[in-house]
Amino acid sequence: MNLYKEHSNFLSKESKDFIGNVVLGDNFPFYQIPSSGSLGKQVKDGLLNHLVLPRPEDRSLTENVTSQFYMPTVKILDEFLAAVKIKPYFYLRIAYNLTYNNGFDKSGPHTDHDYDHKQVIIYLNNIEDKNSKTVLLKNNKIHKEIKPKQYKGICFGNLKHYNHNPKVGKRVVLIGTFI
């Protein structure tokens, strides 16, 4: 799938307030996880994560949402997808990721699932290091490099991708996968 959409002016004031006051606030809980990508099979690249909705294969029949911030988070994703005229049928996984200078230049190339899906990445903070790009691969070659910008959202199909970790500061993104 060659889908790629980008938009920078889609967030409501309520969503921007939630991002600024809650997600980027001092008390938002991030947890260290050892790797990114499908089922943790990728290289150990270390990042901080706040899981909102686990992958379907990682959920039990009774466990679905794992964060009290599910509703405002889905609102952010829905605002972006409405702006680029895509209607999600079903969210597969939702998480906030925080990357920083952790000794690794970049994350390992990965897909977020081992099956067909679409992905949204929304850049939430003003990233100091503009070289902490998201890189999309096609046939294991660089297809597109996306520079981070606060409140910019991107959507793409089932492509391998990776991100460059910032050398200074932090990079906070909202990740949503869906079909």
Side-chain angles (χ1 to χ4, degrees):
M1 172 182 279
N2 289 328
L3 167 75
Y4 178 81
K5 303 266 185 165
E6 184 177 304
H7 206 291
S8 294
N9 188 20
F10 60 90
L11 287 169
S12 65
K13 180 183 179 330
E14 181 182 16
S15 290
K16 286 181 180 179
D17 288 346
F18 172 75
I19 292 165
N21 297 326
V22 178
V23 179
L24 300 178
D26 293 338
N27 296 313
F28 193 76
F30 283 101
Y31 304 94
Q32 188 167 16
I33 62 172
S35 65
S36 59
S38 178
L39 306 175
K41 293 178 187 173
Q42 305 307 317
V43 296
K44 303 237 181 273
D45 48 21
L47 64 116
L48 299 176
N49 175 270
H50 178 94
L51 187 61
V52 176
L53 180 68
R55 290 175 174 85
E57 55 271 21
D58 294 340
R59 296 181 217 158
S60 70
L61 291 175
T62 57
E63 178 196 40
N64 242 341
V65 174
T66 59
S67 172
Q68 66 183 346
F69 305 114
Y70 177 80
M71 293 305 292
T73 301
V74 168
K75 182 179 185 325
I76 293 167
L77 291 169
D78 286 347
E79 287 174 350
F80 170 73
L81 290 171
V84 296
K85 298 178 176 35
I86 295 176
K87 176 120 175 80
Y89 175 69
F90 181 81
Y91 284 109
L92 297 165
R93 176 179 169 269
I94 302 171
Y96 292 93
N97 287 351
L98 186 156
T99 54
Y100 52 93
N101 186 351
N102 61 6
F104 294 95
D105 178 49
K106 59 187 177 184
S107 67
H110 63 278
T111 57
D112 283 38
H113 302 282
D114 289 336
Y115 42 84
D116 196 33
H117 65 283
K118 296 174 187 79
Q119 177 142 352
V120 171
I121 299 175
I122 300 173
Y123 302 93
L124 301 180
N125 67 319
N126 187 11
I127 301 166
E128 293 177 60
D129 183 353
K130 301 303 179 197
N131 290 319
S132 56
K133 302 173 192 165
T134 300
V135 179
L136 306 181
L137 303 173
K138 191 186 262 186
N139 300 321
N140 292 320
K141 294 184 177 163
I142 293 177
H143 173 63
K144 188 168 206 50
E145 291 183 318
I146 300 99
K147 284 190 173 195
K149 180 182 172 201
Q150 187 174 29
Y151 302 143
K152 176 166 69 174
I154 62 172
C155 181
F156 54 93
N158 190 26
L159 293 174
K160 274 193 175 181
H161 57 281
Y162 62 88
N163 66 275
H164 287 277
N165 293 320
K167 301 287 185 224
V168 295
K170 62 186 178 182
R171 174 185 180 265
V172 182
V173 297
L174 170 58
I175 308 291
T177 61
F178 66 97
I179 53 174

